[in-house]
Each structure stands twice: as structure tokens, then as C-alpha cells.
């Protein structure tokens, strides 16, 4: 990316159209107030191009230039952005639309591939073995999730492999 | 046969951009009643009107149809043109081919043109059957009513009173002053709100032409421009205001008895008041009231009862407020009466200046509304005001300690789809004012202000804002997303720096929310009583946003101040003085015109069945004895020409002038041809 951008109206409308069609319907409602990024745990964790900045870059016509951006995979879908947005943008949906765009173009960041593989293996995009910790605080070591259930994992794998994600040849 | 002249307007490109104006003109020319059909770029311009006038003067036409924008704004203009050329102005008809045609069918020009032809043919059909009508006039009551005693109502009332008209000023609180009386200083000149407002309040109190009615509400408005009858309800105060000297002794004992349970509205709940109280120290009139709903009837001395006799002393047990009053003004023997007394007044015009309320913080769950150290901006005004609960010392509510870091949050409930989509207009500026006043007084105070963007459009406003930056106040672009409550009632601010594109997190001692300006619930009641309408932002709707900013759709009813939309003090006072000037017009003229497009009963056809009487929404119909038999009669001053009676009359004895049966049938025939 160069140090300056040219505003290209075709690129802008193409970017908006792509994100809108992939589910980020509210993108044009954004007034760039920044409330979403103020509460976004992803932004704080070092994934700056989420919510407000991601939308701004699309609205500047920089969708293609961002294709390798790994910030989008930092979104935990907590939807705090959706809750505080005063304009009904639903920034989380924009982030997910952007992810779909990246996935369609096979432009995963390495962190994304790890989470996809986690999802395939355990049914959780972010997974760490919490059995020791749970025991320490007096909980049953294994939470009732797909992480410890081979049958569920098989089902998830079948679903994923038969989904558009499967066609990408990731698994 | 009538000679109809047709004039089709391009309205620049408003009509001609969609409709084929020449085709419409040619169509009109071929209609049998039409003797001439012309077109013009702007029919309402001088040259356009001249086309009409010349054809009338030359005797070419005796009926006029203009196909143009909308009768709402332009019918009076063309009627006047017709009249000035010597033709009765009611021999004019308008075809609405802009608002009801070109503007609604921009994507369908062919059918829009076809529709224009039908609308025009319908207008021609009606016009050729129109009859001349005469305006009538009635005398005007030489008095005005101003509803609301804030700075808007005060300004309007003083103007009207100075013009020499008796002016009633009705205020629901015990004192006039409104929200401006609660403010500390005012931007951009930092003059003290009380110092500039209280002299005006005193003027109102002393003005020989102003009849001040505080602790009162407008219940009912009847009549029309020039002759309104208004019912005003005086709330029961249980204090004889003729005797009350405003010493405040009753209030002092009462606040002790009620033990601080009643929040003082004037101090935005930051301090308590008694059930007996004086609105604020500079009140006009400075009179106490007893708020019966909060009264705890000390010593069992209830309203409407004589005091109990003490078994110990044998003396009557009088309530402490009554005992404290040196003027013997408190009368608890009056029956408890939530309705108060109704007074009827007659006025010629009315200015509505009922003001606004600021939104409560409770709606904003992400902004820690339960923390005592999250306050609304109006609460901060009371905290920093010399007349406030801390005497103007900046303290945070939780522990009365001076905060080290204070945060301002803008657009709380404004510019927000979940609450109000509009900008409240004054928040940027008053927050900057509060920050500047605080920084001047406490240079060490750390002030962070968070804006979506700073709106400082006004005379000397931007300089005031950039001045704040120079004073070392931190201005940050980016809306605050959330507040989290920390131990010791501190707050964690979750913000964002738009320019740096980084999130911001810090701890603050006091957070000020600029909550939105909105109309209170009570505005609905007044709208019902007066016929005022609401706009999309739920403020009272003005007649026209540019050319009728103080007028309303109810003739004789005018708007001033924030009840019409958020505005600052300079704009409020400007509008209030403008409203007073326009409200004085019917009073100065001494008589008002009665539109002749109203209904009339033909007594010889009326059977006296009375069906029309309860149907009339304006109570304009009564029975009158004609040759010993009752016949319906319509009061022309009350009739609004709605036509309900005309359509309901089984004997077809009622005609609506300007909408007679043959005229309407001709319209229907043209539209369905």
C-alpha cells in the first residue's frame, strides 16, 4: 500500500457492493463516530482494522488493498459494537462480510487458518485445553462441548467439508 | 358559459423535469370550457402573474386555473393576483401537479403527464362552476396568551405587553424562569444566566400589561384566530399568595420534616426540597406552594381538616409549616384538590413557548447510569452554579470531593437511531462552556471532551471552541462507547481517538453526559388542546421550515423556542420576538377575515333532524327557532369548512361554499373520464 490513496469512486462503490452483498448491509449508515471501536475487545487486543477503521477503509475504496489484513480474524463476535452503534450499522456483520470476502479470495491470514483448523478439529475457532483450570476452580474438567465429543466433532467436520468452506480445500 | 383561462407552470425543473408541460397545455386548450391556455417557467413570478392579470383585464377569461406546485403555499398568491385584476378571487382553482404528481412519479414521466391532464381537467370542471364568494370579518379580542415562562415565553410576553396588549403568561411551575434560570453562565460571552435573565423576570412581574399565571396549565383552547377562549387551571397551592411574602420559613421547616426525601427539581435532584417550597431563591413571583402529593401531613393535620386537639395540652396540633408562617398564609383547611381552579380567559392570539426537557441518564445502560458520579450536563450546571447545592464549588456527588479528572460525553441520545436521530444543537457549545469555566477556575483539573465532531456554527462560537483547545482542554474526536464503574465510585472511560485510530482507556472521577433535548410527555396534552401538530423529530411543527418558522397550521397559534426544535438562547430569543411580532398582527388589525369556504344551512330545506349537530368537530352547529320550529344554524366563526355536516345532511340542506355538489361531480367526471 502506498503512503497516500486516490479516491476512486468505482472502487468505492465496488467495495460497498461487495460488503453489502456478503451481509454487511449497514455499511453506508456509518457516520464514523468510533463508539464501536471504543468498546471492541479485538481493537484493544491489537487488531486495529476492525469496526470503525475497517468500514472507513472500505468507504475509501481500499477493500482490495486490505485483502491480507489479519485484524478481521480478531473479531470474537461479542457484538458490543452492535449494541453501542448509534446508527444501526451492525459493525460485526460488516466484519464478517469482510471475512467472507477474504475467504472467497482464499486470502486467509495464518491466524485465520489456525482458527479454521481449530473449528474443524474441535468445533471452536479459539480453543485451549481448560481441563486443569476447571478442576482447580471446582468445576467438572470437561465442559459439555464438541471439544471432548468425537461424535460431535465428526458431525461438524462433515458439515464444514460440505459447506462452501470445504470447497476452498482448506481441510 | 364560463370562460376558463388555464396557466401551466414549469416550476423550473420541478414540474417540467418530469411532466411534458407543452402537452398538458395543448390538452387544456382543447377542453370545451377553456378559452386560453398558457405556460410559464415560474407562474408565481411577476411576469407569470401578469399573464393571468392581463387576460382578466382584457375580459378574455372569467375563471382561472393554475396548474402548479401546491395550494398550501401558492393559492393565496394567485388569489391575490386574480383579485387585483378585478375578478372575484374565489373564481380561482389550482391543479396540484408538483406535490401530487411530478414529485411522486419522477420515474414515470408519461403517466405523470397523463395524471397532470386529469388533475387539470378536474380543476377546469370545478372552476367553470365556481361562484363568487365574499370574505367576512369579525372583531378581535385585544389580548394575547403566552404559554410557557422560560426565556422564550418571557421574551414574547414582554414584546407583546410593550406593544400595549394585555398579555397572559401561563407557567406550570410556581415561578417563571424555565431552564435558563438553572444555568450557570452562557456561551459564548460567559455572562451569568441569572444576571441577564432575572431582570427580565422582574420586568414581567411588574409589567402593567402582563397577567402572570404561574403554577397553572392550559387545559382547553376553543375558538379561532382573533377570538380564542382558553381554560387555565390554577393548581392548588394551599398558600394564599396575597399574604405570602416569600420568606421561605415554611420551606425550611418542611425540608427538615420530610428528611430530604423529595428531590428538588430546580437543582436536578442534587438536593432536597420540602413539600412546602419556593421554586428557587430568585423566583418571580416569589411565593411558596405546598406540593400536596408529597405532603406528609405532619401532626396528622390533613388537608381539608381542622387540626386535631392535643390530649396533653388541649391545644390544636398545627402543622409545622403553618406554624412557621409569619404571614398566616398557609391554609390547610382547603380540601385536597388535584384539579385546582379553572379560569377562563379570552385572547386574540397565542404564543406556545413550552420549552423542552433533557433526557434522563437512566436510558443509557452502557454509560453507568447508576453511578452518582455520572451526571447530566444540566446537573453539572447546578453543581457549578453559584445558586446550586454546593454554592458553585465543583464537587462530585458521591463524596463531595473535588474531582481530578472530568470527562464530557457528547451526543447521548442525540444523533442516535435508538433515541433521537436529530442533533440537539446546543450540547457541543454548552459542554465547551462548562469545560472552559471549570478550567478557568481550576487550572489543574484534567478535562477530556469526547465528540463525534464539534458543531460550533454561530456568531463567535468557533472562536470560543478553538479557545478551549488553547486553554489546554483535551478535545478528542470519537464517541465514548462505554463507562465501567470502579471501586470508590470512579469510572473507567472506554473511548476512541478517531484521528490516531486507537482506543483510549482511562479513569475519571466525574463524567458529564450531554443528554438529548426532547419534548416532555405533557406536550401531547397541549397538542390535543390546541390542534398543534408534531414534526418527524417530535417537536411542534411550524407552518413552513423557512418561510413560516413561527406560524403553525392553526391560525392564530405561534411557536417560540425549543418546543419547535432544539436551539440556543440567542436563537430562542430571536424566534420569541419574531413570534410576538406575528402574534400581534391580528391584534393590530383589530379584525380577522373569515374564510368564506365554510358550510351554510338553507333553513327552508332543513327538517330540524339534528343529525349534523353532534357530528360537527368544532361544535359550530346549534338549533335556532325559525317560525316556531328548530332549524340547524352554523356559527361562521367556528366553522372550519370540513364538510362533515354537508355530507351527512339527509335533506341536502347544507352546502359547503366552494365545494358545491355540481362542482364536485364535475371533478369526479373529469377524473374518471
Amino acid at each position: 500500500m502506498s503512503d497516500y490513496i486516490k479516491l476512486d469512486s468505482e472502487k468505492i462503490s465496488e467495495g460497498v457492493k461487495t460488503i453489502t452483498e456478503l451481509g454487511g448491509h449497514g455499511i453506508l449508515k456509518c457516520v464514523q463516530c468510533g463508539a464501536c471501536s471504543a468498546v471492541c475487545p479485538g481493537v484493544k487486543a491489537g487488531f486495529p482494522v476492525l469496526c470503525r477503521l475497517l468500514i472507513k477503509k472500505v468507504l475509501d475504496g481500499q477493500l482490495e488493498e486490505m485483502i491480507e489484513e489479519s485484524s478481521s480474524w480478531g473479531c470474537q463476535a461479542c457484538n458490543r459494537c452492535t449494541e453501542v452503534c448509534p446508527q444501526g450499522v451492525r459493525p460485526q456483520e460488516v466484519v464478517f462480510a469482510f471475512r467472507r470476502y477474504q475467504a472467497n479470495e482464499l486470502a486467509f491470514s495464518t491466524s485465520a487458518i489456525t482458527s479454521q483448523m481449530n473449528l474443524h478439529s474441535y468445533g471452536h475457532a479459539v480453543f485451549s485445553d481448560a481441563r486443569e483450570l476447571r478442576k482447580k476452580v471446582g468445576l467438572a474438567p470437561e465442559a459439555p462441548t464438541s471439544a471432548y465429543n468425537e461424535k460431535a466433532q465428526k458431525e461438524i467436520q462433515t458439515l464444514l467439508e460440505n459447506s462452501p468452506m470445504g470447497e476452498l480445500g482448506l481441510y | 358559459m364560463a370562460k376558463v383561462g388555464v396557466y401551466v407552470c414549469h416550476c423550473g425543473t420541478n414540474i417540467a423535469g418530469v411532466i411534458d408541460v407543452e402537452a398538458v397545455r395543448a390538452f387544456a386548450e382543447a377542453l370545451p370550457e377553456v378559452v386560453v391556455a398558457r405556460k410559464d417557467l415560474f407562474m408565481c413570478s411577476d411576469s407569470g402573474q401578469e399573464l393571468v392579470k392581463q387576460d382578466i383585464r382584457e375580459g378574455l377569461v372569467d375563471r382561472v386555473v393554475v396548474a402548479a406546485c401546491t395550494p398550501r403555499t401558492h393559492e393565496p398568491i394567485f388569489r391575490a393576483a386574480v383579485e387585483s385584476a378585478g375578478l372575484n378571487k374565489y373564481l380561482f382553482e389550482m391543479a396540484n401537479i408538483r406535490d401530487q404528481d411530478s414529485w411522486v412519479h419522477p420515474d414515470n414521466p408519461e403517466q405523470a403527464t397523463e395524471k397532470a391532464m386529469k388533475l387539470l381537467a378536474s380543476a377546469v370542471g370545478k372552476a367553470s362552476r365556481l361562484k363568487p364568494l365574499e370574505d367576512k370579518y369579525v372583531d378581535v379580542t385585544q389580548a394575547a396568551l403566552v404559554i410557557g415562562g422560560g426565556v422564550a415565553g418571557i421574551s414574547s410576553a414582554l414584546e407583546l405587553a410593550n406593544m400595549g396588549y394585555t398579555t397572559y403568561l401561563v407557567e406550570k411551575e410556581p415561578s417563571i424562569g424555565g431552564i435558563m434560570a438553572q444555568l450557570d453562565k452562557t456561551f459564548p460571552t460567559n455572562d451569568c444566566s441569572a444576571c441577564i435573565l432575572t431582570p427580565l423576570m422582574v420586568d414581567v412581574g411588574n409589567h402593567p400589561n402582563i397577567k402572570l399565571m404561574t403554577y397553572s396549565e392550559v387545559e382547553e383552547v376553543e375558538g379561532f384566530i382573533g377570538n380564542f377562549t382558553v381554560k387555565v387551571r390554577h393548581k392548588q397551592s394551599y398558600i394564599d399568595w396575597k399574604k405570602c411574602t416569600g420568606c421561605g420559613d415554611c420551606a425550611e421547616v418542611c425540608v427538615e420534616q420530610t428528611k430530604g426525601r423529595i428531590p428538588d427539581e430546580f437543582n436536578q435532584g442534587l438536593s432536597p426540597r420540602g413539600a412546602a417550597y419556593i421554586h428557587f431563591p430568585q423566583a418571580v413571583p416569589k411565593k411558596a406552594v405546598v406540593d400536596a402529593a408529597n405532603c406528609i401531613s405532619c401532626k396528622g393535620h390533613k388537608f381539608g381538616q381542622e387540626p386535631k386537639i392535643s390530649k396533653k395540652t388541649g391545644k390544636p396540633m398545627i402543622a409545622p409549616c403553618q406554624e412557621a408562617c409569619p404571614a398566616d398564609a398557609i391554609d390547610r383547611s382547603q380540601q385536597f384538590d388535584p384539579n385546582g381552579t379553572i379560569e377562563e380567559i379570552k385572547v386574540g392570539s397565542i404564543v406556545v413557548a413550552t420549552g423542552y426537557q433533557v433526557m434522563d441518564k437512566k436510558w443509557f445502560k452502557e454509560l453507568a447510569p447508576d453511578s452518582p458520579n455520572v451526571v447530566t450536563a444540566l446537573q453539572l450546571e447546578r453543581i457549578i452554579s453559584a445558586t446550586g447545592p454546593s454554592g458553585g464549588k465543583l464537587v462530585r456527588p458521591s463524596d463531595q470531593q473535588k474531582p481530578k479528572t472530568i470527562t464530557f460525553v457528547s451526543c447521548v441520545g442525540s444523533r442516535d437511531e435508538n433515541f433521537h436521530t436529530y442533533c440537539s444543537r446546543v450540547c457541543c457549545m454548552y459542554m465547551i462552556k462548562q469545560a472552559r469555566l471549570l478550567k478557568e477556575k481550576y487550572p489543574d483539573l484534567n478535562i477530556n471532551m469526547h465528540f463525534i465532531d464539534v458543531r460550533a456554527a454561530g456568531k463567535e462560537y468557533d472562536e470560543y471552541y478553538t479557545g478551549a483547545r488553547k486553554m489546554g482542554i483535551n478535545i478528542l474526536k470519537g464517541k465514548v462507547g462505554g463507562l465501567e464503574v470502579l471501586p470508590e465510585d470512579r469510572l473507567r472511560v472506554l473511548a476512541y481517538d478517531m484521528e490516531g485510530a486507537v482506543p483510549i482507556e482511562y479513569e475519571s472521577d466525574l463524567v458529564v453526559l450531554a443528554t438529548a433535548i426532547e419534548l416532555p410527555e405533557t406536550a401531547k396534552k397541549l397538542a390535543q388542546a390546541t390542534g398543534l401538530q408534531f414534526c418527524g423529530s417530535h417537536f411542534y411543527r411550524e407552518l413552513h421550515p423557512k418561510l413560516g418558522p413561527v406560524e403553525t397550521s392553526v391560525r392564530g397559534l405561534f411557536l417560540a423556542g425549543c418546543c419547535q426544535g432544539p436551539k440556543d438562547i440567542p436563537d430562542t430569543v430571536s424566534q420569541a420576538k419574531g413570534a410576538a411580532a406575528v402574534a400581534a398582527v391580528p391584534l393590530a388589525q383589530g379584525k380577522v377575515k373569515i374564510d368564506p369556504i365554510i358550510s351554510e344551512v338553507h333553513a327552508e330545506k332543513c327538517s330540524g333532524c339534528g343529525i349534523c349537530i353532534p357530528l360537527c368537530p368544532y361544535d359550530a352547529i346549534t338549533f335556532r327557532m325559525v317560525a316556531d320550529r328548530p332549524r340547524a344554524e352554523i356559527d361562521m366563526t367556528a366553522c372550519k369548512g370540513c364538510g362533515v355536516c354537508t355530507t351527512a345532511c339527509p335533506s341536502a340542506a347544507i352546502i359547503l361554499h366552494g365545494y358545491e355538489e355540481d362542482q364536485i361531480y364535475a371533478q369526479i367526471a373529469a377524473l374518471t373520464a
Side-chain angles (χ1 to χ4, degrees):
Chain A
M1 220 186 277
S2 57
D3 285 345
Y4 68 97
I5 53 168
K6 269 188 194 164
L7 286 183
D8 179 332
S9 59
E10 261 174 48
K11 277 177 74 180
I12 294 171
S13 38
E14 186 58 36
V16 170
K17 188 166 169 265
T18 305
I19 292 299
T20 307
E21 284 174 358
L22 289 170
H25 303 291
I27 186 164
L28 283 179
K29 291 193 206 167
C30 178
V31 296
Q32 292 286 305
C33 75
C36 50
S37 294
V39 295
C40 175
V43 171
K44 259 172 233 165
F47 300 99
V49 194
L50 278 172
C51 295
R52 200 282 302 180
L53 192 54
L54 175 66
I55 292 171
K56 183 66 197 151
K57 284 179 184 278
V58 176
L59 294 177
D60 280 349
Q62 300 298 298
L63 181 67
E64 274 175 40
E65 285 78 353
M66 279 195 295
I67 197 157
E68 303 278 352
E69 177 61 55
S70 59
S71 286
S72 54
W73 303 97
C75 173
Q76 299 297 308
C78 72
N79 267 303
R80 230 179 140 177
C81 53
T82 307
E83 209 167 72
V84 299
C85 176
Q87 297 296 332
V89 174
R90 307 185 77 90
Q92 182 266 343
E93 288 181 357
V94 176
V95 172
F96 271 51
F98 180 63
R99 280 191 188 178
R100 287 179 197 115
Y101 164 72
Q102 290 179 303
N104 286 341
E105 304 291 323
L106 279 180
F108 286 104
S109 76
T110 42
S111 59
I113 290 173
T114 311
S115 51
Q116 289 305 324
M117 296 317 290
N118 276 340
L119 193 64
H120 190 260
S121 314
Y122 308 107
H124 292 274
V126 178
F127 176 70
S128 59
D129 193 341
R131 278 178 285 195
E132 284 304 310
L133 192 63
R134 286 176 62 88
K135 247 192 272 177
K136 230 194 236 173
V137 298
L139 290 169
E142 291 185 357
T145 86
S146 54
Y148 313 105
N149 185 329
E150 266 185 44
K151 190 171 166 251
Q153 286 168 4
K154 281 263 151 33
E155 284 173 10
I156 288 167
Q157 282 153 14
T158 310
L159 281 171
L160 280 174
E161 281 155 18
N162 288 296
S163 75
M165 289 301 291
E167 288 165 27
L168 300 177
L170 212 60
Y171 310 117
Chain B
M1 193 167 145
K3 297 181 284 183
V4 181
V6 169
Y7 306 86
V8 188
C9 185
H10 288 245
C11 199
T13 55
N14 276 306
I15 292 170
V18 178
I19 290 167
D20 182 347
V21 171
E22 172 50 30
V24 175
R25 191 207 62 80
F27 164 82
E29 204 167 42
L31 292 170
E33 305 95 326
V34 175
V35 290
V36 61
R38 305 185 195 278
K39 57 179 182 162
D40 198 74
L41 191 58
F42 292 103
M43 273 309 301
C44 57
S45 69
D46 192 47
S47 60
Q49 291 189 37
E50 198 48 47
L51 289 177
V52 179
K53 289 182 193 170
Q54 204 169 342
D55 288 346
I56 296 171
R57 280 195 221 102
E58 288 174 3
L60 195 60
V61 304
D62 61 9
R63 298 285 191 282
V64 174
V65 172
V66 174
C69 47
T70 165
R72 203 165 54 86
T73 56
H74 278 53
E75 191 178 70
I77 294 167
F78 291 115
R79 285 227 162 111
V82 166
E83 189 173 39
S84 75
L87 190 66
N88 183 286
K89 65 181 174 187
Y90 294 100
L91 299 177
F92 164 81
E93 187 65 24
M94 199 156 176
N96 187 335
I97 63 166
R98 186 192 70 182
D99 287 16
Q100 293 180 357
D101 194 354
S102 66
W103 276 1
V104 275
H105 310 294
D107 304 326
N108 207 341
E110 270 173 38
Q111 281 183 293
T113 303
E114 202 179 310
K115 180 173 170 182
M117 290 174 182
K118 291 212 167 200
L119 290 170
L120 185 58
S122 152
V124 168
K126 186 182 175 197
S128 60
R129 288 161 182 81
L130 285 175
K131 292 175 190 154
L133 300 170
E134 292 307 320
D135 289 338
K136 296 178 178 100
Y137 293 88
V138 289
D139 288 339
V140 164
T141 309
Q142 297 282 315
L145 164 66
V146 177
I147 310 173
V151 68
I154 288 172
S155 302
S156 280
L158 282 173
E159 290 297 320
L160 285 159
N162 285 338
M163 287 183 235
Y165 300 113
T166 299
T167 305
Y168 298 92
L169 178 55
V170 173
E171 164 58 48
K172 67 177 189 307
E173 298 296 338
S175 167
I176 56 169
I179 295 179
M180 186 175 168
Q182 293 171 271
L183 306 182
D184 178 31
K185 293 189 171 78
T186 53
F187 61 81
T189 44
N190 283 6
D191 31 12
C192 143
S193 193
C195 313
I196 56 176
L197 181 68
T198 46
L200 294 181
M201 291 163 59
V202 174
D203 284 353
V204 167
N206 293 335
H207 205 294
N209 290 338
I210 295 183
K211 306 235 183 289
L212 190 53
M213 302 162 102
T214 62
Y215 214 41
S216 299
E217 281 174 27
V218 168
E219 281 292 301
E220 211 177 283
V221 176
E222 281 186 347
F224 56 98
I225 181 169
N227 292 284
F228 290 107
T229 303
V230 182
K231 283 186 180 150
V232 179
R233 182 166 62 85
H234 294 277
K235 290 186 254 188
Q236 180 58 271
S237 71
Y238 304 96
I239 290 181
D240 183 348
W241 279 13
K242 287 195 191 84
K243 289 183 186 166
C244 176
T245 60
C247 68
D249 288 357
C250 57
E252 219 166 284
V253 295
C254 185
V255 76
E256 280 170 27
Q257 296 294 334
T258 50
K259 299 188 174 66
R261 278 192 297 261
I262 312 167
D264 182 346
E265 297 88 351
F266 188 76
N267 279 335
Q268 290 291 296
L270 293 166
S271 67
R273 65 162 170 82
Y277 70 104
I278 291 178
H279 194 189
F280 57 103
Q282 295 75 33
V284 171
K286 196 169 180 191
K287 302 290 178 189
V289 297
V290 181
D291 158 18
N294 278 309
C295 176
I296 53 170
S297 302
C298 302
K299 297 191 181 172
H301 190 178
K302 291 184 177 154
F303 291 112
Q305 288 178 6
E306 291 303 316
K308 289 180 182 163
I309 305 297
S310 165
K311 280 176 192 156
K312 277 186 194 159
T313 64
K315 285 180 183 164
M317 301 200 305
I318 297 168
C321 56
Q322 201 163 353
E323 209 162 359
C325 179
D328 195 23
I330 301 182
D331 183 4
R332 298 185 66 90
S333 66
Q334 291 185 50
Q335 285 298 331
F336 173 66
D337 178 9
N339 295 319
T341 50
I342 300 280
E343 186 181 344
E344 204 173 87
I345 58 173
K346 290 187 181 297
V347 295
S349 55
I350 301 173
V351 176
V352 175
T354 47
Y356 67 98
Q357 68 180 19
V358 292
M359 276 184 86
D360 199 294
K361 62 176 182 170
K362 71 178 176 194
W363 302 105
F364 307 101
K365 61 177 171 39
E366 73 280 14
L367 297 175
D370 295 331
S371 166
N373 293 332
V374 174
V375 298
T376 67
L378 193 53
Q379 285 178 316
L380 184 69
E381 290 288 341
R382 296 315 300 149
I383 293 173
I384 63 176
S385 167
T387 64
S390 58
K393 215 173 122 207
L394 175 69
V395 292
R396 54 179 216 161
S398 67
D399 55 6
Q400 303 298 308
Q401 295 299 306
K402 185 180 153 246
K404 291 189 184 73
T405 298
I406 171 168
T407 300
F408 287 90
V409 181
S410 77
C411 297
V412 180
S414 310
R415 304 169 72 188
D416 188 327
E417 279 205 336
N418 304 304
F419 302 99
H420 301 302
T421 52
Y422 53 83
C423 163
S424 288
R425 250 185 96 184
V426 290
C427 325
C428 285
M429 287 305 293
Y430 71 59
M431 286 198 300
I432 291 168
K433 173 205 74 181
Q434 291 175 331
R436 284 181 60 134
L437 295 175
L438 288 171
K439 195 73 180 172
E440 264 169 30
K441 203 166 170 186
Y442 311 102
D444 295 341
L445 189 66
N446 179 28
I447 305 179
N448 299 330
M449 309 190 74
H450 301 270
F451 296 96
I452 297 181
D453 38 44
V454 176
R455 297 190 166 177
K459 198 173 173 182
E460 290 169 30
Y461 287 10
D462 204 68
E463 295 87 332
Y464 193 74
Y465 151 60
T466 48
R469 284 185 173 268
K470 286 174 202 154
M471 290 169 73
I473 292 163
N474 302 323
I475 310 259
L476 296 146
K477 196 163 144 61
K479 189 174 155 95
V480 170
L483 297 173
E484 288 170 2
V485 181
L486 302 172
E488 292 169 23
D489 289 315
R490 286 169 62 78
L491 294 144
R492 180 184 291 129
V493 181
L494 306 179
Y496 186 73
D497 175 10
M498 184 74 70
E499 285 114 338
V502 283
I504 298 172
E505 223 181 88
Y506 64 91
E507 289 182 19
S508 189
D509 305 299
L510 181 66
V511 178
V512 184
L513 307 182
T515 54
I517 280 179
E518 62 183 7
L519 274 196
E521 268 299 295
T522 48
K524 270 188 205 154
K525 203 179 127 198
L526 188 66
Q528 280 159 0
T530 55
L532 279 173
Q533 296 176 341
F534 292 101
C535 66
S537 302
H538 206 71
F539 289 96
Y540 289 139
R541 183 191 290 281
E542 66 284 345
L543 185 65
H544 189 281
K546 291 139 203 158
L547 301 179
V550 300
E551 296 90 334
T552 68
S553 59
V554 184
R555 287 180 70 214
L557 212 66
F558 306 94
L559 298 176
C562 286
C563 65
Q564 182 254 340
K567 52 182 70 66
D568 57 22
I569 296 168
D571 284 358
T572 295
V573 174
S574 306
Q575 196 188 23
K577 293 190 175 189
V582 188
V585 171
L587 309 184
Q589 286 176 335
K591 51 186 184 176
V592 286
K593 191 182 82 181
I594 303 287
D595 208 13
I597 300 179
I598 51 176
S599 290
E600 190 180 354
V601 181
H602 283 296
E604 73 281 3
K605 284 192 196 165
C606 175
S607 68
C609 71
I611 283 174
C612 54
I613 294 175
L615 289 176
C616 177
Y618 308 102
D619 294 330
I621 314 180
T622 47
F623 274 134
R624 177 176 67 109
M625 296 308 284
V626 177
D628 296 338
R629 297 186 57 184
R631 301 286 180 241
E633 185 178 54
I634 298 171
D635 176 2
M636 69 167 186
T637 61
C639 177
K640 298 271 194 294
C642 72
V644 166
C645 57
T646 309
T647 52
C649 179
S651 322
I654 308 180
I655 60 158
L656 174 56
H657 294 297
Y659 290 90
E660 294 186 30
E661 209 174 85
D662 62 330
Q663 296 162 0
I664 290 170
Y665 277 129
Q667 285 192 279
I668 295 169
L671 288 169
T672 52

